Amino acid sequence: LFASSDQLWAHHVYLDSLKARPTAGPSHTSFVDWLDARLDEIPRLERREAGITIDRWLEKTASLDAGSGPLSSIAISGSVPYSKVTPTGGVTAPMVFIPTGTAITSALAQGKIVLRPAATGSVPNAVFSALQWWTYDPDASITPTAVETYERDFLGYEPRVQDLEAAGAAGAAGLVFIQGFPREQVLGHYAPYEGGRWPVPALYVGVDEGETLKQLAQSGGQAR
């Protein structure tokens, strides 16, 4: 028998309670143990386990302070996984806002904490219409969206990877990605997750915190 809707709901409630599950971290280990126990309940199931060594990265603390005079705490929405770990006490440097479409170069970024919009990607909805075989839309609820675009965060991962690599190559002291949503909607955002380490410390902030940082950068502010 397939799992009931109540069972599936209970499973997802448990999964959500674990929050972020970095590979080989405590939450991930808990989930694997839970899944292992579920598999034990299946009669005559045979399975084997294989240990794999990874270069584990687990966030312990992360913070951002900024100001045009004394530094004040700025709420972050999360760290970029596998970003460079700072020394004790962090790194302090002037901020510079580099907009989308402008390359992150050493002339602009060396020794500075770069503020950068978090890239997203989009595909015109018309592309889906051109590829589909058939549509069931009796109320024409989909039709008005044909001229709009399908925009998603995951479609912007590759540009973000390029920004991380460019900031490291340019000698930036840090990189702060500004997301296009309020902090509450993107807390714990865990991406891009490529399994390699990035050459620069990097964080995410929400859209409102990003505006504050941009204003401070314009007035010659610093961040830690």
Side-chain angles (χ1 to χ4, degrees), residues 140-170:
S141 58
I142 299 175
T143 303
T145 67
V147 296
E148 299 174 0
T149 59
Y150 176 87
E151 183 177 359
R152 291 295 184 273
D153 183 81
F154 72 89
L155 293 175
Y157 287 178
E158 183 56 33
R160 246 175 271 177
V161 166
Q162 294 171 2
D163 287 344
L164 286 160
E165 293 174 341

Side-chain angles (χ1 to χ4, degrees), residues 85-102:
V85 179
T86 66
T88 302
V91 292
T92 303
M95 291 182 289
V96 59
F97 176 69
I98 303 180
T100 302
T102 300

Side-chain angles (χ1 to χ4, degrees), residues 24-177:
S27 295
H28 182 239
T29 301
S30 296
F31 174 66
V32 171
D33 290 342
W34 176 85
L35 189 61
D36 198 44
R38 303 287 78 73
L39 292 172
D40 278 338
E41 298 172 357
I42 302 176
R44 298 182 299 280
L45 177 68
E46 295 183 7
R47 68 184 191 278
R48 63 182 183 272
E49 297 178 359
I52 299 173
T53 300
I54 69 163
D55 183 16
R56 186 172 69 173
W57 183 99
L58 297 176
E59 176 186 331
K60 293 185 177 179
T61 60
S63 63
L64 176 64
D65 301 325
S68 55
L71 303 186
S72 301
S73 177
I74 301 291
I76 65 172
S77 56
S79 299
V80 174
Y82 286 82
S83 58
K84 185 178 180 179
V85 179
T86 66
T88 302
V91 292
T92 303
M95 291 182 289
V96 59
F97 176 69
I98 303 180
T100 302
T102 300
I104 300 176
T105 63
S106 57
L108 294 174
Q110 187 169 27
K112 297 179 181 178
I113 293 177
V114 175
L115 310 178
R116 182 77 157 181
T120 60
S122 62
V123 177
N125 283 352
V127 171
F128 298 105
S129 300
L131 295 174
Q132 67 194 16
W133 289 90
W134 178 74
T135 301
Y136 178 73
D137 188 22
D139 299 323
S141 58
I142 299 175
T143 303
T145 67
V147 296
E148 299 174 0
T149 59
Y150 176 87
E151 183 177 359
R152 291 295 184 273
D153 183 81
F154 72 89
L155 293 175
Y157 287 178
E158 183 56 33
R160 246 175 271 177
V161 166
Q162 294 171 2
D163 287 344
L164 286 160
E165 293 174 341
L175 177 61
V176 178
F177 283 121

Side-chain angles (χ1 to χ4, degrees), residues 188-212:
H189 184 63
Y190 200 81
Y193 181 46
E194 305 294 317
R197 291 181 180 261
W198 306 117
V200 63
L203 299 170
Y204 286 106
V205 297
V207 63
D208 298 320
E209 291 76 15
E211 286 301 315
T212 297

